[in-house]
């Protein structure tokens, strides 16, 4: 048995189930799950049609690199969305089976399991960063997001002794759970550190397309590199996904793009890992990446819910509008676990305790006293959840 498995902490949703235990919520209310970031808007019909129209291709083994058509669609979308010069679809983009799989497997590719290398992670964070690091034989180093600086991750706090042993830095922008987007200046600082110490930046950008209609599209890593004259995207890999953008989390379709030398090695790993995308999924993915109309409608629905939630809840809880994503990262009275448990048991509304999404680092857990609220359901369900939350807050100790 792999002894590194013993280093893994329970996943946040497993901890949530343990928190509730055998207790049942009030039967007067239907369940509303605001705890998991699973989009529940309808999958666009044209994506379903493209999937069904290519089911006959299941008779063939897919290639790890994917079809030329898929790689061209990915390159074309990246060029359009992030104002990039032409990408080489043969060497600078690679399809993956969702961003989770890609984040995990790139860590196994980049880390030397015998070297005890460091991986710098934001805190709070997407839990795959830690698990992938531990199973690859690395050691995570957490950098706390500072609420006093709008949840900025201050990399100047990382000591030289850590940087000299760092092989990877996970970047999440827009951030999960805070929704914060890195500025060009922050990217410039990270690129300078990467040049100095030789580590790879792995940018998780799966929320890049969930942003306000009247707001600027979030800056991406490739776009920042282009602005700063970093030709060829040295030591930079960016990951994006259709799950949130196109409401197809079950499709498991994503990509990685950037440094061609790193992608060549990653493709080798994936050939043995067995990570080739289903041919019908590839066809559906091409259709999705080539259409923006459904993404704009998706954005409109999220903005309506985010605005409704802010307007009704902000007088009662201190809300900060995120730059992007469909989460509110909310400071609550008292313990985040007590708050989440009581809300669930009394009103059958599930939110995720913030301490489950972070680790104690440098003396404190930056998720303590926070909850993550995912506005993934319908507008009507969101309104119902808001009403229950307000009823709950009216009687909850402040």
């Amino acid at each position: 048995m792999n002894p590194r498995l013993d280093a893994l902490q329970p996943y946040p949703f497993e901890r949530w189930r343990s928190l509730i235990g055998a207790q049942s919520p009030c039967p007067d209310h239907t369940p509303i799950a605001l705890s998991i970031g699973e989009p529940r808007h309808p999958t666009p019909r044209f994506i379903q049609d493209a999937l069904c129209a290519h089911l006959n291709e299941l008779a063939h083994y897919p290639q790890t690199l994917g079809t030329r058509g898929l790689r061209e669609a990915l390159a074309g979308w990246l060029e359009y969305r992030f104002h990039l010069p032409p990408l080489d679809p043969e060497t600078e983009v690679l399809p993956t089976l969702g961003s989770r799989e890609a984040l995990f497997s790139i860590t196994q590719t980049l880390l030397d399991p015998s070297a005890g290398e460091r991986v710098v992670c934001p805190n709070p964070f997407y839990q795959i960063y830690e698990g992938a690091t531990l199973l690859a034989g690395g050691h995570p180093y957490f950098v706390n997001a500072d609420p006093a600086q709008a949840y900025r991750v201050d990399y100047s706090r990382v000591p030289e002794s850590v940087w000299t042993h760092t092989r990877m830095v996970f970047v999440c922008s827009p951030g999960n759970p805070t929704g914060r987007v890195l500025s060009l200046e922050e990217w410039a600082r990270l690129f300078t550190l990467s040049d100095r110490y030789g580590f790879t930046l792995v940018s998780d950008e799966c929320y890049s397309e969930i942003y306000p209609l009247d707001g600027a599209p979030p800056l991406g890593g490739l776009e920042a590199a282009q602005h700063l004259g970093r030709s060829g995207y040295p030591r930079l890999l960016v990951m994006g996904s259709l799950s949130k953008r196109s409401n197809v989390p079950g499709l498991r379709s994503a990509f990685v793009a950037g440094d061609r030398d790193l992608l060549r090695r990653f493709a080798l790993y994936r050939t043995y890992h067995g990570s080739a995308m289903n041919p019908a999924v590839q066809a559906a993915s091409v259709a999705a990446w080539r259409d923006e109309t459904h993404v704009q409608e998706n954005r409109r629905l999220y903005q309506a819910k985010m605005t409704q939630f802010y307007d009704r809840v902000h007088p009662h809880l201190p809300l900060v509008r995120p730059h992007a994503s469909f989460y509110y990262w909310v400071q609550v009275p008292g313990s985040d676990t007590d708050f989440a448990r009581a809300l669930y048991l009394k009103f059958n509304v599930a939110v995720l305790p913030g301490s489950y999404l972070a680790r104690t680092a440098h003396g404190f857990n930056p998720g303590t006293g926070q909850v993550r609220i995912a506005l993934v359901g319908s507008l009507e369900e969101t309104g119902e959840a808001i009403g229950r939350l307000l009823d709950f807050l009216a009687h909850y100790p402040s």
Side-chain angles (χ1 to χ4, degrees), residues 55 74 82 141 157 160 183 223 289 309 396:
L55 291 178
L74 290 168
F82 296 107
Y141 182 91
R157 296 181 179 181
E160 174 86 5
S183 67
E223 185 178 16
W289 287 116
F309 193 90
Y396 194 74

Side-chain angles (χ1 to χ4, degrees), residues 2-235:
N2 186 343
R4 294 174 185 153
L5 289 168
D6 294 331
L8 299 180
Q9 297 204 30
Y11 210 66
F13 304 112
E14 181 182 343
R15 295 181 68 183
W16 166 250
R17 287 189 289 270
S18 297
L19 176 69
I20 300 305
Q23 302 174 89
S24 298
C26 175
D28 296 338
H29 300 289
T30 57
I32 298 178
L34 306 180
S35 52
I36 186 169
E38 179 184 60
R40 296 204 299 274
H41 297 172
T43 298
R45 185 69 198 184
F46 78 92
I47 298 177
Q48 299 180 49
D49 290 343
L51 182 70
C52 294
H54 291 81
L55 291 178
N56 62 315
E57 296 180 24
L58 296 178
H60 306 286
Y61 282 119
Q63 295 182 340
T64 300
L65 297 180
T67 64
R68 172 80 185 191
L70 175 56
R71 284 181 275 114
E72 287 178 344
L74 290 168
W77 180 80
L78 285 162
E79 293 159 16
Y80 159 80
R81 167 63 175 83
F82 296 107
H83 314 288
L84 305 177
L87 292 168
D88 182 358
E90 294 292 339
T91 62
E92 292 183 308
V93 293
L94 186 66
T96 66
L97 305 184
S99 57
R100 177 191 295 214
E101 178 269 320
L103 291 162
F104 182 86
S105 55
I106 194 61
T107 310
Q108 316 312 304
T109 303
L110 293 177
L111 263 60
D112 178 350
S114 66
E117 294 170 316
R118 289 282 197 174
V119 174
V120 173
C121 303
N123 193 31
F125 62 100
Y126 181 41
Q127 305 296 288
I128 296 303
Y129 306 159
E130 179 188 58
T133 297
L134 294 171
L135 290 174
H139 303 284
Y141 182 91
F142 295 109
V143 187
N144 295 333
D146 186 352
Q149 299 185 56
Y151 301 111
R152 177 173 175 263
V153 178
D154 186 359
Y155 293 101
S156 68
R157 296 181 179 181
V158 180
E160 174 86 5
S161 59
V162 171
W163 285 131
T164 56
H165 294 90
T166 294
R167 184 68 185 89
M168 282 177 57
V169 172
F170 279 117
V171 177
C172 188
S173 179
N176 175 10
T178 66
R180 191 180 188 280
V181 175
L182 265 69
S183 67
L184 185 61
E185 292 73 21
E186 289 171 292
W187 274 112
R189 170 65 175 160
L190 285 170
F191 290 143
T192 297
L193 290 167
S194 173
D195 290 343
R196 182 181 304 163
Y197 297 104
F199 59 72
T200 297
L201 291 162
V202 176
S203 183
D204 177 1
E205 301 180 5
C206 70
Y207 295 95
S208 71
E209 302 314 289
I210 311 300
Y211 58 88
L213 292 170
D214 56 352
L219 178 70
L222 297 180
E223 185 178 16
Q226 179 63 26
H227 281 310
L228 296 168
R230 298 179 65 80
S231 177
Y233 313 108
R235 295 179 306 283

Side-chain angles (χ1 to χ4, degrees), residues 311-330:
D311 289 347
R312 294 180 61 188
V313 176
H314 182 57
H316 308 277
L317 285 176
L319 299 184
V320 176
R321 290 182 183 269
H323 295 165
S325 86
F326 46 56
Y327 298 121
Y328 273 108
W329 183 237
V330 185

Side-chain angles (χ1 to χ4, degrees), residues 237-253:
L237 294 173
V238 166
M239 298 182 181
S241 170
L242 286 175
S243 294
K244 277 72 175 177
R245 173 188 181 271
S246 299
N247 304 314
V248 286
L251 199 65
R252 310 314 303 137
S253 180

